[in-house]
Amino acid sequence: HRIRLVHRHYPLDNACNPTLDKPFHRNACRYAAIAWCAEQLGRFWETNDFLYANRGTTLTATQVARAVEIDPGKLAGCLSGDEVARAIDEDLTAGRNAGVRGTPTFVIDGKIYSGGIPADAIPPE
């Protein structure tokens, strides 16, 4: 069996997620943008891991860039562009259309699993 993992951004932050009427995960929209830009610069997983390890703190893009060894100027350039907001919005729309309500959510063969993947969701080899 082959498994393909696709990461989509679904920040639970009303700053960019219109399904929320109040703050829930503050900074999640900004961190999703940083992670998306890090992906464009070849450092997504390192950035993702760093952001999750430091959740609950407020980090600047420069702090993240230095921690994951990204050029801060390149990250800032990406963050100031229009493409990043469009990409996050596309992921939010895809999530809403798939029935995502929170994170983490996994979609396997069209079935939605919130919070984790049950053992019986993945067929044995």
Side-chain angles (χ1 to χ4, degrees), residues 50-66:
F50 179 77
L51 289 170
Y52 274 101
N54 291 283
R55 65 185 171 271
T57 62
T58 300
L59 300 165
T60 66
T62 299
Q63 288 172 316
V64 176
R66 289 186 177 137

Side-chain angles (χ1 to χ4, degrees), residues 3-118:
I3 295 175
R4 182 176 76 133
L5 175 65
V6 177
H7 184 280
R8 298 277 182 126
H9 300 281
Y10 198 83
L12 296 176
D13 181 351
N14 68 335
C16 66
N17 188 335
T19 65
L20 301 172
D21 58 1
K22 60 184 175 186
F24 186 65
H25 287 180
R26 293 185 194 277
N27 299 313
C29 293
R30 195 165 58 81
Y31 291 167
I34 289 170
W36 186 87
C37 285
E39 180 180 11
Q40 307 314 298
L41 298 168
R43 302 291 289 174
F44 172 76
W45 289 111
E46 298 87 349
T47 303
N48 182 70
D49 293 348
F50 179 77
L51 289 170
Y52 274 101
N54 291 283
R55 65 185 171 271
T57 62
T58 300
L59 300 165
T60 66
T62 299
Q63 288 172 316
V64 176
R66 289 186 177 137
V68 299
E69 300 176 358
I70 295 174
D71 179 290
K74 287 182 181 180
L75 182 60
C78 177
L79 289 169
S80 67
D82 294 333
E83 193 174 358
V84 62
R86 200 168 27 255
I88 300 299
D89 188 55
E90 287 173 8
D91 280 359
L92 283 164
T93 299
R96 281 191 305 275
N97 291 343
V100 172
R101 299 276 183 252
T103 61
T105 297
F106 301 89
V107 180
I108 302 172
D109 290 333
K111 293 181 183 174
I112 294 179
Y113 301 95
S114 296
I117 304 171

